[in-house]
C-alpha cells in the first residue's frame, strides 16, 4: 500500500514537472510533508537546484565528494541565500576547477536524495510560486532538462520499490547508527561508521555500496537492539524544530575561545603575512585563505571571530562571499571587514549593502587594523585591550618590528 502511495506521489510530480517545463516557468516548487520541506528551483522550465531543510550541507558535501572531489566547499546554508550551491558550482566551472559534467552530476545527485527523502512521506504534496528573479542569468549548460529530471524521478521510484521490498519502509536514510554492543565479526569492517556520526547516505558513499543494500544489512542488528538510530545536526548548523540558530550560539563559541581567531580571505599571500605581523603579537591567531572557493570549508570548520575579505579575487566575487557569510545564521554576529585596494564611495556602499562591518584600504595599516579588530572583539577578548591602554597613554604606536617587545613590557 505504501509503495503504491509513493509511486502516485512521483507520478503527480512528473506531471507537474512536464507542465512547468512546457510553460518555461521560473520559480520555486515547494515539496511539503508534516516533517520535512524541500524546494526545487526552476529557471525557464529547467531545474537549477534542490534543497531541503534537513542536512543541506551534508547532502551538498556528499554530492561534491562523489562527483567532483577537487572542490571541498562546505559553506553553511542560509535561509536568505537560496542558491549559494549553484553559484559556487557556476564559479568553479567558470574557473575550470570542475567540468560542466561534474557540476551537473552534483545537481542531479542532490535532486535524487531530496526527492527520495520527500517521496517517502505519506502526506507528500507540493505547490508552485513564480519568481521573476529566476527567469534569467542561469546558463542552461548547468541546468537539468525535463528528460534528465524524469530520469532521476524514475531512479527514485526504483529505489523506493527496492526499499519497500527489503522491508525498510520506516527507516530514514538521514539517520545515523550507534553501536550499543561490541560489533559482530561480520560488521567489524564497518565499526568506524557506527559511532553516531555517519548517516546511511554517508556510509553508502564511503564504502561505495547501494544504500538499500547497506540498510538491509543493518536491519537485523537494529531489531536486536545492537544498533540505535539518531538524527544528526547538519555539518555546521545545529538542527532545531524551526531550523533557526539561537542568537547566542555564536557568542557561546567565542566565549570558549581564549584568543581571537581572525581569517584573511585574499588570493595574495603577502596580505595574509602582513596581517599576521600586525595581529599575532597582540594575541591573535590568523588563518590565511588564498582560495576563496575551496577555503570556505575552513571558515565553516574553524568559525573565526572576525574575517578580513578582499573584493577583487580571481576565483570569487568578494561582495558575493561577504553576502553569503552575512546571511548565514552561524556567522550572523561575525564581523566581516573589507580589505581592498579599491576605495570609492560606490565600493563602500556595495560593501555595506553586502553586510560588511567595516572597510579598510590596502596595504593594511597597523594602527587602523588594530583599531578595527579592537572595536569589534575587545569586549570578548580582553587581551586586545592591552594595546588600547597603551594608545590612551600616548605611548608610541606599535609597529610590526617592535610588537613583541612592547607586548612583553605591558605584561
Amino acid at each position: 500500500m505504501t509503495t503504491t502511495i509513493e509511486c502516485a506521489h512521483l507520478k503527480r510530480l512528473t506531471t507537474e514537472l512536464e507542465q512547468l517545463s512546457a510553460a518555461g516557468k521560473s520559480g520555486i516548487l515547494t515539496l511539503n510533508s508534516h516533517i520535512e520541506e524541500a524546494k526545487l528551483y526552476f529557471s525557464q522550465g529547467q531545474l537549477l537546484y534542490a534543497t531541503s531543510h534537513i542536512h543541506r550541507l551534508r547532502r551538498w558535501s556528499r554530492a561534491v565528494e562523489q562527483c567532483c572531489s577537487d572542490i571541498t566547499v562546505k559553506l553553511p546554508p542560509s535561509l536568505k541565500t537560496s542558491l549559494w550551491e549553484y553559484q559556487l558550482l557556476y564559479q568553479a566551472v567558470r574557473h575550470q576547477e570542475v567540468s560542466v559534467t561534474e557540476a551537473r552530476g552534483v545537481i542531479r545527485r542532490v535532486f535524487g536524495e531530496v526527492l527520495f527523502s520527500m517521496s517517502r512521506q505519506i502526506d507528500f504534496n507540493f505547490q508552485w510560486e513564480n519568481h521573476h528573479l529566476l527567469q534569467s542569468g542561469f546558463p542552461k549548460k548547468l541546468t537539468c532538462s525535463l528528460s534528465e529530471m524524469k530520469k532521476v524521478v524514475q531512479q527514485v521510484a526504483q529505489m523506493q520499490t527496492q526499499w519497500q521490498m527489503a522491508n525498510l519502509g520506516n527507516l530514514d536514510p538521514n539517520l545515523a547508527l550507534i553501536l550499543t554492543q561490541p560489533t559482530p565479526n561480520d560488521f567489524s569492517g564497518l565499526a568506524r561508521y557506527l559511532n553516531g556520526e555517519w548517516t546511511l547516505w554517508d556510509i553508502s558513499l564511503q564504502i561505495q555500496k547501494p544504500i538499500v543494500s547497506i540498510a538491509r544489512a543493518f536491519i537485523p542488528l537494529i531489531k536486536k537492539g545492537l544498533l540505535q538510530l539518531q538524527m544528526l545536526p547538519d555539518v555546521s548548523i545545529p538542527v532545531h524544530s524551526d531550523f533557526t540558530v539561537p542568537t547566542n550560539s555564536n557568542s557561546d563559541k567565542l566565549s570558549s575561545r581564549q584568543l581571537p581567531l581572525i581569517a584573511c580571505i585574499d588570493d595574495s599571500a603577502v596580505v595574509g603575512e602582513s596581517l599576521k605581523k600586525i595581529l599575532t603579537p597582540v594575541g591573535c591567531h590568523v588563518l590565511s585563505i588564498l582560495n576563496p572557493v575551496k577555503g570556505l570549508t575552513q571558515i565553516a570548520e574553524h568559525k573565526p571571530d572576525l574575517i578580513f575579505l578582499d573584493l577583487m579575487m580571481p576565483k570569487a566575487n568578494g561582495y558575493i562571499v561577504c553576502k553569503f557569510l552575512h546571511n548565514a545564521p552561524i556567522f550572523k554576529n561575525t564581523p566581516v571587514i573589507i580589505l581592498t585596494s579599491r576605495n570609492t564611495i560606490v565600493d563602500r556602499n556595495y560593501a555595506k549593502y553586502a553586510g560588511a562591518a567595516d572597510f579598510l584600504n590596502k596595504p593594511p595599516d597597523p594602527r587602523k587594523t588594530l583599531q578595527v579588530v579592537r572595536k569589534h572583539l575587545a569586549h570578548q577578548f580582553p587581551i586586545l585591550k592591552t594595546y588600547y591602554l597603551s594608545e590612551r597613554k600616548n605611548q608610541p604606536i606599535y609597529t610590526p618590528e617592535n610588537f613583541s617587545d612592547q607586548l612583553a613590557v605591558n605584561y
Side-chain angles (χ1 to χ4, degrees):
M1 176 64 179
T2 306
T3 305
T4 302
I5 294 175
E6 289 162 350
C7 289
H9 291 335
L10 296 177
K11 288 180 180 178
R12 288 194 300 113
L13 179 61
T14 299
T15 301
E16 182 74 13
L17 296 177
E18 291 173 342
Q19 294 174 351
L20 294 175
S21 179
K25 292 284 190 177
S26 297
I28 302 174
L29 184 64
T30 301
L31 313 181
N32 286 299
S33 75
H34 67 292
I35 61 173
E36 191 169 354
E37 179 181 277
K39 294 182 181 296
L40 308 183
Y41 295 84
F42 290 84
S43 178
Q44 300 181 29
Q46 305 274 306
L47 177 69
L48 294 173
Y49 199 73
T51 64
S52 169
H53 76 281
I54 294 179
H55 290 178
R56 180 171 179 174
L57 260 177
R58 287 182 180 276
R59 187 174 291 113
W60 157 258
S61 300
R62 285 192 296 266
V64 167
E65 182 177 348
Q66 181 187 50
C67 303
C68 46
S69 57
D70 289 339
I71 292 184
T72 56
V73 176
K74 296 180 180 178
L75 185 68
S78 166
L79 298 179
K80 298 179 181 178
T81 306
S82 302
L83 284 173
W84 59 263
E85 298 101 328
Y86 180 91
Q87 293 184 44
L88 288 176
L89 286 174
Y90 175 64
Q91 290 181 19
V93 169
R94 282 188 59 197
H95 297 293
Q96 299 182 343
E97 293 183 332
V98 301
S99 67
V100 172
T101 301
E102 290 171 329
R104 288 163 64 91
V106 171
I107 296 172
R108 287 196 300 270
R109 167 159 181 141
V110 170
F111 176 43
E113 281 197 21
V114 168
L115 191 55
F116 181 76
S117 183
M118 289 298 307
S119 62
R120 293 175 56 255
Q121 310 302 327
I122 296 177
D123 58 343
F124 170 52
N125 59 80
F126 43 84
Q127 61 185 20
W128 173 258
E129 182 179 0
N130 289 312
H131 281 273
H132 69 278
L133 294 178
L134 296 175
Q135 290 178 358
S136 61
F138 300 94
K140 288 193 174 182
K141 65 181 181 180
L142 289 186
T143 58
C144 291
S145 65
L146 175 62
S147 61
E148 292 174 299
M149 289 186 282
K150 292 174 72 172
K151 185 176 180 180
V152 173
V153 173
Q154 184 180 5
Q155 293 171 344
V156 169
Q158 293 174 349
M159 287 179 61
Q160 289 287 8
T161 300
Q162 296 170 356
W163 200 260
Q164 296 301 325
M165 290 179 64
N167 296 317
L168 302 173
N170 295 324
L171 184 60
D172 187 343
N174 295 307
L175 295 176
L177 302 170
I178 303 176
L179 195 66
T180 60
Q181 297 182 29
T183 312
N185 292 333
D186 294 343
F187 294 91
S188 57
L190 296 175
R192 57 172 296 195
Y193 303 115
L194 305 179
N195 57 3
E197 298 179 2
W198 303 79
T199 67
L200 287 170
W201 286 117
D202 298 331
I203 299 173
S204 172
L205 175 63
Q206 292 302 315
I207 67 176
Q208 295 296 300
K209 296 288 184 182
I211 190 171
V212 175
S213 300
I214 294 171
R216 185 190 296 118
F218 286 138
I219 283 295
L221 298 183
I222 295 174
K223 289 183 177 179
K224 292 179 181 179
L226 301 180
L227 281 176
Q228 291 183 349
L229 303 170
Q230 73 171 23
M231 177 60 75
L232 289 179
D234 207 348
V235 174
S236 297
I237 298 180
V239 173
H240 299 277
S241 58
D242 58 353
F243 196 59
T244 59
V245 179
T247 56
N248 65 344
S249 61
N250 202 36
S251 59
D252 289 343
K253 178 69 175 178
L254 298 179
S255 63
S256 65
R257 183 183 289 156
Q258 295 181 350
L259 298 176
L261 174 63
I262 296 175
C264 172
I265 305 178
D266 195 305
D267 59 295
S268 171
V270 175
V271 176
E273 288 302 315
S274 297
L275 288 177
K276 287 181 181 179
K277 290 180 180 179
I278 296 171
L279 298 173
T280 299
V282 295
C284 298
H285 295 301
V286 178
L287 175 65
S288 182
I289 296 174
L290 300 179
N291 187 320
V293 177
K294 294 183 179 181
L296 284 174
T297 182
Q298 295 176 270
I299 295 292
E301 292 172 357
H302 294 287
K303 301 179 182 62
D305 306 295
L306 183 144
I307 300 171
F308 283 99
L309 175 64
D310 188 19
L311 289 180
M312 301 176 63
M313 296 176 286
K315 295 183 180 296
N317 182 311
Y319 293 119
I320 293 177
V321 175
C322 182
K323 196 166 186 178
F324 282 165
L325 294 170
H326 178 68
N327 287 337
I330 196 170
F331 292 116
K332 181 179 181 181
N333 298 318
T334 303
V336 177
I337 314 300
I338 298 300
L339 182 61
T340 180
S341 56
R342 297 177 55 168
N343 183 16
T344 67
I345 295 177
V346 173
D347 290 317
R348 287 179 175 270
N349 287 337
Y350 273 129
K352 184 177 181 180
Y353 175 76
D358 262 306
F359 194 103
L360 291 179
N361 294 334
K362 284 185 181 178
D365 176 80
R367 180 191 294 272
K368 292 181 179 178
T369 300
L370 282 170
Q371 286 176 339
V372 166
V373 171
R374 188 183 66 229
K375 170 184 173 182
H376 294 284
L377 298 182
H379 65 289
Q380 295 164 341
F381 300 98
I383 189 173
L384 296 173
K385 295 180 180 179
T386 301
Y387 168 75
Y388 172 72
L389 292 175
S390 298
E391 185 183 31
R392 288 187 63 182
K393 293 176 182 177
N394 295 318
Q395 293 183 3
I397 184 70
Y398 297 172
T399 64
E401 291 73 22
N402 69 2
F403 265 157
S404 298
D405 294 338
Q406 293 284 357
L407 190 60
V409 170
N410 281 304
Y411 276 110

